[in-house]
Amino acid sequence: MTAESIFPRLEPLLPKVQKPIQYVGGELNSTVKEWDSADVRWALMYPDAYEVGLPNQGVAILYEILNELPATLAERTYAVWPDLEALMRAEGVPQFTVDAHRPVRAFDVFGVSFSTELGYTNMLTALDLAGIPLVAAERGDDDPIVLAGGHAAFNPEPIADFLDAAVLGDGEQIAIAITEVIREWKDEGRPGGRDELLMRLAESGGVYVPRFYDVDYHPDGRIKRVAPNRPDVPWRVHKHTVMDLDEWPYPKKPLVPLAETVHERFSVEIFRGCTRGCRFCQAGMITRPVRERSITTVGAMVKQGIEESGFNEVGLLSLSSADHSEIGDLAKGLADRYEGTNTSLSLPSTRVDAFNIDLANEFSRNGRRSGLTFAPEGGSERMRKVINKMVTEEDLIRTVTAAYSQGWRQVKLYFMCGLPTETDEDVLGIADLAKKVIKAGREATGSRDIRCTVSIGGFVPKPHTPFQWAGQADHETVDRRLKALRDSLRRDKEYGRAIGYRYHDGKPSIVEGLLSRGDRRVGAVIRAVWEDGGRFDGWSEHFSYERWMAAAERAGVDVDWYTTREREENEVLPWDHLDAGLDREWLWQDWQDAVSGGEVEDCRWTPCYDCGVCPTMGTEIQIGPTGRKLLPLTVV
Ligand code: SF4
């Protein structure tokens, strides 16, 4: 397969499409290496448009790490919009990388990072445009290894037929290990072809190769067992955990987008993992344990990243950034360092307490005091206990009072609808809470110029969480509750006009639920949707519930069975052979505790409660305070 640039064939198409700049590459800090300087080559894809894909941290980190390796190159590719797809098909232009516009099929690995299952159809488009057979079993020795990673790869079964391999967990070390396996196999003259390469990857224990596992079913459709069909392939595949984030200070040279993107800032991950134990949160469960990056390294990364990119906003990322053990020192140190400059700091706030307001004040020293976001997630105290989000109404009111009285005028509250055991009253409780927030704000400021936006997402039960056994609420129930909530807010003469309301209907959550907890039989639905024109399913203007339901019917897949059905304790779940480290018995007990009102503390500050991750993975919680300082100490 030739690796020559396809740009001469792409260029004439670009004036005919929207936002052509997203396809031209050449961003500051992008890398183009000579093709022949490398013997292992990766094409990395984020399966969404450039504007969403470019800021993705996972792809950016692997791109840099792989390009730093000798004799290895990595380039990026994104989903092309339907206007360019049609022209590429008409002109025979293949899926290309934006860096050197090389055809994706020429690479050794086609790595796709899935943050959400709604990117599956976009992967099929890319494979098809690349000229790579959609079905893994039909690929030949000239085709790349199609490899999935990211959070959705913790249950890759619905796309198992389309994948050669999947990797669970942190990608830094395993990407290097996979590169070395491929290099060795190529150096030896590719013995045994593609099959042997996949065997070598599978035998390593760190790469899941779906074709080496057979799935048997009971007559009623439940899974009987998943078993390796070759000797030397492990029964379970484990996730990867990077234990010292200070050793992996990436991105060092952040990519600066050419076209508009969803986040235009330099993001530094200040810790990985979360042990707060919110039962709905797959990210929190599968990234355990907590591993903090030291304040010194964060400071150095911020300094270098700004210098290398020219960004004037820095985001301190994690699943709950205010929980970093030295966040106070970090916020103050960075705010001091950049005071009076054009560099502003941001912190995704999800915890509801007064400490967050102090932090927000530090972070807004150089910027606008626009809005604060809090996520109580559940509308009633009872609901918040079920999901283990231990926030009382009192906490919330105290926090927003502090925020409003210190000059913040806009508070955004995030909730979910369709949670296990939820009733209509729990959802209507969101309206009461929002009204109390406005009332508190008016009292604290003496002003009526107070706003609160209520934003609601549909709950989807996810694999590797205590809710993996739960029945998902059907979309009719979710829509009915959301409508009742909207009516309750609108009816209120005193507070209704001060409360904004954002929600989506419940249908996309059902499709996400099908894909999240699906098994290999769901692959036929994904393919049928794609053949019927399904693209960009994460975008409401492209998503079609009817298309998904029609495809499921054609494929003989009962969507309710996969979504609204509650599972028994001993049912074999499609992802049971994929090990996120969590003890299955602990997860089941936590699901029982959810229903009976039992709470779990955060193991960072209380004794270990044996979720299983640390002993299984050989890891441990890594938190400060380290007593180290933010360097350099000079104020810019
Ligand atoms: S094993 Fe214990 S310390 Fe480790 S994440 Fe689980 S509960 Fe926390």
Side-chain angles (χ1 to χ4, degrees), residues 275 288-290 603-604 607-615 619-621:
T275 39
R288 289 170 175 228
V290 171
C603 60
R604 268 173 291 190
C608 166
Y609 47 77
D610 296 326
C611 80
V613 169
C614 293
T619 54
E620 59 186 359
I621 296 237

Short mmCIF file of all heavy atoms in Angstrom, two decimals, residues 275 288-290 603-604 607-615 619-621, ligand 1:
data_model
loop_
_atom_site.label_atom_id
_atom_site.label_comp_id
_atom_site.label_asym_id
_atom_site.label_seq_id
_atom_site.Cartn_x
_atom_site.Cartn_y
_atom_site.Cartn_z
N THR A 275 -12.41 8.02 43.75
CA THR A 275 -12.95 7.00 44.66
C THR A 275 -14.11 7.54 45.47
O THR A 275 -14.43 7.00 46.53
CB THR A 275 -11.83 6.49 45.60
OG1 THR A 275 -11.02 7.59 45.99
CG2 THR A 275 -10.98 5.45 44.93
N ARG A 288 -10.00 3.74 38.89
CA ARG A 288 -9.41 3.65 40.22
C ARG A 288 -8.02 3.03 40.17
O ARG A 288 -7.76 2.24 39.28
CB ARG A 288 -10.31 2.76 41.11
CG ARG A 288 -11.59 3.42 41.47
CD ARG A 288 -12.53 2.45 42.11
NE ARG A 288 -13.71 3.21 42.53
CZ ARG A 288 -14.26 3.11 43.74
NH1 ARG A 288 -13.77 2.28 44.64
NH2 ARG A 288 -15.30 3.82 44.06
N PRO A 289 -7.16 3.22 41.15
CA PRO A 289 -7.31 4.13 42.27
C PRO A 289 -6.92 5.56 41.88
O PRO A 289 -6.46 5.79 40.77
CB PRO A 289 -6.33 3.57 43.29
CG PRO A 289 -5.22 3.01 42.46
CD PRO A 289 -5.90 2.47 41.21
N VAL A 290 -7.07 6.48 42.86
CA VAL A 290 -6.67 7.86 42.62
C VAL A 290 -5.14 7.95 42.59
O VAL A 290 -4.46 7.43 43.46
CB VAL A 290 -7.20 8.78 43.74
CG1 VAL A 290 -6.60 10.18 43.62
CG2 VAL A 290 -8.71 8.84 43.70
N CYS A 603 -12.40 6.28 49.91
CA CYS A 603 -11.30 5.55 50.55
C CYS A 603 -10.01 6.37 50.60
O CYS A 603 -9.01 5.90 51.14
CB CYS A 603 -11.07 4.21 49.87
SG CYS A 603 -10.64 4.37 48.14
N ARG A 604 -10.01 7.58 50.05
CA ARG A 604 -8.84 8.44 50.22
C ARG A 604 -8.72 8.89 51.66
O ARG A 604 -7.65 9.17 52.17
CB ARG A 604 -8.95 9.68 49.33
CG ARG A 604 -8.31 9.53 47.99
CD ARG A 604 -8.61 10.70 47.10
NE ARG A 604 -10.01 10.74 46.72
CZ ARG A 604 -10.50 11.55 45.78
NH1 ARG A 604 -9.69 12.39 45.18
NH2 ARG A 604 -11.77 11.54 45.46
N PRO A 607 -10.82 4.16 55.75
CA PRO A 607 -10.14 2.90 55.44
C PRO A 607 -10.66 2.27 54.14
O PRO A 607 -11.80 2.48 53.74
CB PRO A 607 -10.50 2.01 56.63
CG PRO A 607 -10.85 2.96 57.73
CD PRO A 607 -11.44 4.16 57.07
N CYS A 608 -9.79 1.50 53.51
CA CYS A 608 -10.14 0.77 52.28
C CYS A 608 -11.37 -0.09 52.54
O CYS A 608 -11.48 -0.75 53.55
CB CYS A 608 -8.95 -0.11 51.91
SG CYS A 608 -9.31 -1.36 50.67
N TYR A 609 -12.32 -0.07 51.63
CA TYR A 609 -13.52 -0.89 51.79
C TYR A 609 -13.53 -2.04 50.79
O TYR A 609 -14.58 -2.59 50.46
CB TYR A 609 -14.80 -0.05 51.70
CG TYR A 609 -14.83 0.92 50.53
CD1 TYR A 609 -15.10 0.47 49.24
CD2 TYR A 609 -14.57 2.27 50.72
CE1 TYR A 609 -15.11 1.35 48.16
CE2 TYR A 609 -14.59 3.15 49.64
CZ TYR A 609 -14.85 2.69 48.37
OH TYR A 609 -14.85 3.55 47.31
N ASP A 610 -12.36 -2.39 50.29
CA ASP A 610 -12.18 -3.61 49.48
C ASP A 610 -13.01 -3.64 48.20
O ASP A 610 -13.71 -4.63 47.94
CB ASP A 610 -12.49 -4.86 50.33
CG ASP A 610 -11.51 -5.00 51.46
OD1 ASP A 610 -10.34 -4.62 51.26
OD2 ASP A 610 -11.91 -5.48 52.54
N CYS A 611 -12.90 -2.61 47.39
CA CYS A 611 -13.57 -2.68 46.08
C CYS A 611 -12.82 -3.64 45.17
O CYS A 611 -13.33 -4.04 44.13
CB CYS A 611 -13.68 -1.30 45.44
SG CYS A 611 -12.17 -0.72 44.63
N GLY A 612 -11.59 -3.97 45.56
CA GLY A 612 -10.85 -5.00 44.83
C GLY A 612 -9.76 -4.47 43.90
O GLY A 612 -8.85 -5.21 43.53
N VAL A 613 -9.83 -3.22 43.54
CA VAL A 613 -8.94 -2.73 42.49
C VAL A 613 -7.45 -2.81 42.89
O VAL A 613 -6.63 -3.34 42.14
CB VAL A 613 -9.30 -1.27 42.11
CG1 VAL A 613 -8.22 -0.65 41.23
CG2 VAL A 613 -10.63 -1.24 41.39
N CYS A 614 -7.13 -2.30 44.08
CA CYS A 614 -5.71 -2.21 44.43
C CYS A 614 -5.02 -3.57 44.50
O CYS A 614 -3.99 -3.78 43.86
CB CYS A 614 -5.52 -1.40 45.71
SG CYS A 614 -5.97 0.34 45.47
N PRO A 615 -5.59 -4.55 45.25
CA PRO A 615 -4.90 -5.85 45.26
C PRO A 615 -4.89 -6.53 43.89
O PRO A 615 -3.89 -7.14 43.50
CB PRO A 615 -5.70 -6.67 46.28
CG PRO A 615 -6.96 -5.94 46.53
CD PRO A 615 -6.71 -4.51 46.19
N THR A 619 -1.91 -2.02 42.65
CA THR A 619 -1.79 -0.56 42.68
C THR A 619 -2.15 -0.05 44.07
O THR A 619 -2.52 -0.82 44.95
CB THR A 619 -2.75 0.08 41.65
OG1 THR A 619 -4.08 -0.40 41.89
CG2 THR A 619 -2.36 -0.27 40.24
N GLU A 620 -2.04 1.23 44.27
CA GLU A 620 -2.44 1.82 45.54
C GLU A 620 -2.84 3.27 45.32
O GLU A 620 -2.45 3.89 44.33
CB GLU A 620 -1.29 1.74 46.56
CG GLU A 620 -0.06 2.47 46.07
CD GLU A 620 1.13 2.29 46.99
OE1 GLU A 620 1.00 1.62 48.01
OE2 GLU A 620 2.19 2.84 46.65
N ILE A 621 -3.61 3.77 46.30
CA ILE A 621 -3.97 5.18 46.24
C ILE A 621 -2.70 6.02 46.38
O ILE A 621 -1.86 5.72 47.22
CB ILE A 621 -4.93 5.50 47.39
CG1 ILE A 621 -6.21 4.71 47.18
CG2 ILE A 621 -5.14 6.98 47.57
CD1 ILE A 621 -7.46 5.47 47.10
S1 SF4 B 1 -9.03 -1.36 46.87
FE1 SF4 B 1 -9.50 -0.10 48.67
S2 SF4 B 1 -8.03 1.63 48.58
FE2 SF4 B 1 -8.04 0.65 46.53
S3 SF4 B 1 -9.55 1.85 45.38
FE3 SF4 B 1 -10.65 0.07 46.26
S4 SF4 B 1 -11.49 0.79 48.21
FE4 SF4 B 1 -9.94 2.29 47.55
#
